[in-house]
Amino acid sequence: MELKYEKSTAFVNRLISRVEQTEGVTSESKLALIGRVQLGSSLSTETVPESIPKMTGPLGDSIIPLPYHYNAMMRDYFGITYQFISEQQREEIAASDWFVEMEPWPSPNAIRVINDIVVVKLQK
């Protein structure tokens, strides 16, 4: 569980930094995280599962699978408050042609600002 926590907080810290450095981001910008980031490693997918009894909690790669998890971590661990878009807005953006053409994280082109919404295309 410590490994999941460390990997997740390191990723969110990196994500916040990239968002803050993106041109066009303002304090009023909303955040759209679409997709899921893969934080896997052989340590978390093979070594740990083979070394401990199967139980809820320690297995898996991340503690941030959904946007509201990111929101909570950003707010509670980093003191950063972004307004996240609605699920309907997420679905509309994910279905758009320009989003489909975006490169996924960690590409520098994985973040775009459209109509004051910071869109981050995570991995699939």
Side-chain angles (χ1 to χ4, degrees):
M1 289 189 329
E2 180 69 21
L3 178 61
K4 286 171 44 170
Y5 167 78
E6 293 291 338
K7 288 167 53 173
S8 298
T9 54
F11 174 73
V12 170
N13 189 22
R14 186 174 172 205
L15 177 65
I16 290 169
S17 178
R18 288 270 301 273
V19 168
E20 291 175 341
Q21 294 175 35
T22 301
E23 188 174 329
V25 175
T26 69
S27 59
E28 288 79 36
S29 296
K30 293 182 180 181
L31 189 57
L33 301 176
I34 302 175
R36 290 193 177 187
V37 70
Q38 301 298 315
L39 300 175
S41 67
S42 62
L43 183 60
S44 62
T45 59
E46 296 170 21
T47 307
V48 171
E50 292 171 4
S51 302
I52 64 171
K54 297 209 181 308
M55 64 182 105
T56 302
L59 303 179
D61 298 323
S62 171
I63 61 172
I64 49 171
L66 301 171
Y68 72 89
H69 295 119
Y70 284 88
N71 190 14
M73 182 172 275
M74 289 175 174
R75 180 189 64 237
D76 297 340
Y77 288 81
F78 296 95
I80 303 292
T81 304
Y82 288 110
Q83 184 176 355
F84 280 65
I85 62 170
S86 69
E87 184 61 32
Q88 180 181 351
Q89 289 174 301
R90 279 175 26 103
E91 290 172 7
E92 290 171 5
I93 290 171
S96 69
D97 291 336
W98 61 264
F99 177 78
V100 172
E101 294 172 4
M102 284 177 67
E103 297 176 29
W105 184 271
S107 167
N109 300 320
I111 299 178
R112 288 179 68 178
V113 179
I114 305 290
N115 299 327
D116 213 24
I117 297 175
V118 182
V119 178
V120 181
K121 184 174 185 176
L122 300 173
Q123 299 155 343
K124 296 184 180 191

